[in-house]
Amino acid sequence: MFSQTSTRHHLMNTAHRPAQIFIRGEGAWLIDANERRYLDWMQGWAVNALGHAPAAVAAALAAQAATLLTPSPALHNAPALQLAERLCQLSDFDQVYFANSGAEANEGAIKLARKWGRLHRGGAHQIITFGKAFHGRTLAAMAASGKPGWDALFPPTMPGFAKAEFNNLASVEKLVGQHTVAIMLEPVQGEAGVIPATSEFMQGLRALCDKHGLLLIVDEVQTGCGRTGPLFAYQHHGIRPDIMTLGKGLGGGVPISALLATDAVSCFEPGDQGGTFGGNPLVCAAGLAMIDALTAPGFLTRAWLHGEALADGLRSLSREFALGEVRGSGMLWALELGRNNAPLIANAAMDAGLLVNAPHPHCLRFMPPLNSTADEISHGLDLLGQALAHYG
Ligand SMILES: Cc1ncc(COP(=O)(O)O)c(C=O)c1O
């Protein structure tokens, strides 16, 4: 066993981490070095749609690892071709570029929109994004994000983004000008505390894009792959975006992300975009296993029903402890606490054996595996109730 204190200082201090070291995962459960089991409702921040170490992904990885890992991004490989085809069949897009993280997929979306603007809109390049948005931590993705304080962190900030107010169509319309090329948003603002876009807003954005010849970009890094109910969250709203990004759940724990575009928009040429590991057969094999699982008959319906049970339980805890709103859908929910005690409650929940995330001091976020059982949902609600009894 390695020494915890001597090894820890070699990691850059980029996150507040609890002392435990986690060594194993089994579905909804995460197990630390002392064999303590935690019901995990963070799941790698909405990554593990099938929970920890899902057998289907482990088998796909083992088979692919013994066959072909990384030929070269400049050569075709079968899993990448198959995964791109499946994603296009299941969505409204025609072409896919694979990358390694959500931020990198969004970076690609921004580049694609700028190139399309150069080719088709006289050099228009500005992208309207939203206050409190989260698109990742590369410099362009940070500039596209609307996290308070981020614009001052690593100056100079990348230009080319204008910020509107989420769910306020007039605030978007006011920003549209001759340099505007696209509107980019999360269908549910996850890091902001699970704030869903209304259908009226999403449909209004589509109409605005059509009116002014703009591209609609949905960042579904968090909401995609069944997290909010349908396979993709834009499908809640009866609209067709021009560009979509995926990440997190696509690999079920393995780093793969994707940039999808319609034929009319997909204008990258050789040399415009690339990366050493993007679309390698190993991660694409995991992606194929995930897509098979997510599209199995009845899978998303069951996830939806268990998500509704989770929401019912959260609503009754909110009533019991006089808390605030319960927001979300599918397996992505937030509970408003009405007070800035979310970190305390998250710590108390961990002590009780439940891992939850506090994206803001006043709210908790819940991202259980999509294949959670009814027993796991009710057990998690019991543990959360114990934590709220301490600090609610
Ligand atoms: C909506 C959204 N976009 C982008 C990202 C960034 O993804 P990654 O951390 O894989 O770069 C995240 C991560 O939380 C996200 O929620």
Side-chain angles (χ1 to χ4, degrees):
M1 188 61 170
F2 54 88
S3 149
Q4 297 188 9
T5 38
S6 70
T7 50
R8 202 164 285 161
H9 76 274
H10 291 299
L11 275 184
M12 287 196 191
N13 186 19
T14 56
H16 297 293
R17 298 185 176 97
Q20 290 90 331
I21 295 177
F22 292 92
I23 51 162
R24 211 168 68 247
E26 295 168 5
W29 298 87
L30 197 52
I31 296 131
D32 73 15
N34 296 320
E35 287 296 322
R36 170 131 204 238
R37 295 170 71 82
Y38 301 81
L39 187 65
D40 184 2
W41 281 4
M42 296 201 290
Q43 290 292 339
W45 285 339
V47 164
N48 307 317
L50 302 181
H52 291 285
V57 173
L61 286 172
Q64 190 58 49
T67 308
L68 181 62
L69 285 174
T70 294
S72 158
L75 299 173
H76 278 311
N77 75 74
L81 291 168
Q82 286 160 16
L83 182 58
E85 185 179 31
R86 294 289 312 274
L87 289 172
C88 291
Q89 285 165 348
L90 291 163
S91 69
D92 289 284
F93 304 94
D94 303 301
Q95 291 205 309
V96 182
Y97 168 81
F98 290 115
N100 311 287
S101 68
E104 202 188 334
N106 285 335
E107 203 69 31
I110 293 162
K111 285 171 71 173
L112 189 64
R114 286 188 178 189
K115 173 142 194 207
W116 183 86
R118 179 155 60 76
L119 295 178
H120 301 290
R121 288 283 321 286
H125 58 273
Q126 192 173 63
I127 300 179
I128 298 175
T129 59
F130 292 89
K132 302 194 181 134
F134 186 86
H135 297 295
R137 290 172 187 276
T138 59
L139 287 172
M142 285 185 79
S145 299
K147 241 174 133 71
W150 264 21
D151 44 352
L153 273 183
F154 305 107
T157 301
M158 162 105 40
F161 301 95
K163 296 278 156 29
E165 191 187 326
F166 200 66
N167 277 332
N168 179 342
L169 195 60
S171 79
V172 184
E173 196 152 20
K174 234 190 296 175
L175 292 176
V176 175
Q178 63 170 18
H179 299 303
T180 310
V181 72
I183 298 170
M184 175 172 176
L185 81 164
E186 302 151 87
V188 179
Q189 287 193 324
E191 294 295 306
V194 188
I195 317 284
T198 64
S199 284
E200 190 189 0
F201 185 57
M202 292 298 277
Q203 289 162 12
L205 290 180
R206 180 68 271 177
L208 199 61
C209 286
D210 291 343
K211 180 172 161 197
H212 295 281
L214 311 178
L215 304 178
L216 183 60
I217 306 173
V218 286
D219 173 351
E220 296 233 21
V221 168
Q222 185 161 148
T223 56
C225 303
R227 179 55 57 183
T228 73
L231 197 55
F232 308 113
Y234 77 82
Q235 293 168 331
H236 282 291
H237 307 295
I239 55 146
R240 300 171 72 160
D242 302 292
I243 295 175
M244 173 171 75
T245 55
L246 298 174
K248 293 187 184 278
L250 181 57
V254 170
I256 176 172
S257 64
L259 161 65
L260 296 91
T262 59
D263 269 336
V265 171
S266 187
C267 58
F268 279 153
E269 294 163 292
D272 283 345
Q273 182 66 328
T276 301
F277 292 115
N280 71 69
L282 186 74
V283 295
C284 290
L288 278 167
M290 286 305 294
I291 292 296
D292 282 347
L294 296 172
T295 56
F299 181 88
L300 288 180
T301 309
R302 265 192 309 280
W304 178 267
L305 293 175
H306 290 155
E308 288 294 294
L310 170 58
D312 285 345
L314 292 174
R315 286 187 200 104
S316 77
L317 287 172
S318 178
R319 279 192 298 275
E320 183 181 343
F321 293 98
L323 308 174
E325 187 186 20
V326 173
R327 288 185 300 268
S329 69
M331 283 290 193
L332 180 61
W333 293 92
L335 170 62
E336 277 295 330
L337 300 168
R339 298 198 264 146
N340 284 344
N341 58 355
L344 277 179
I345 293 174
N347 285 342
M350 189 166 186
D351 289 344
L354 175 71
L355 303 182
V356 294
N357 162 250
H360 290 279
H362 51 83
C363 95
L364 294 171
R365 178 172 47 164
F366 310 95
M367 301 161 278
L370 304 191
N371 59 353
S372 297
T373 64
D375 280 353
E376 285 163 349
I377 295 294
S378 96
H379 185 55
L381 288 163
D382 284 349
L383 296 174
L384 182 64
Q386 290 172 30
L388 288 168
H390 270 96
Y391 292 108

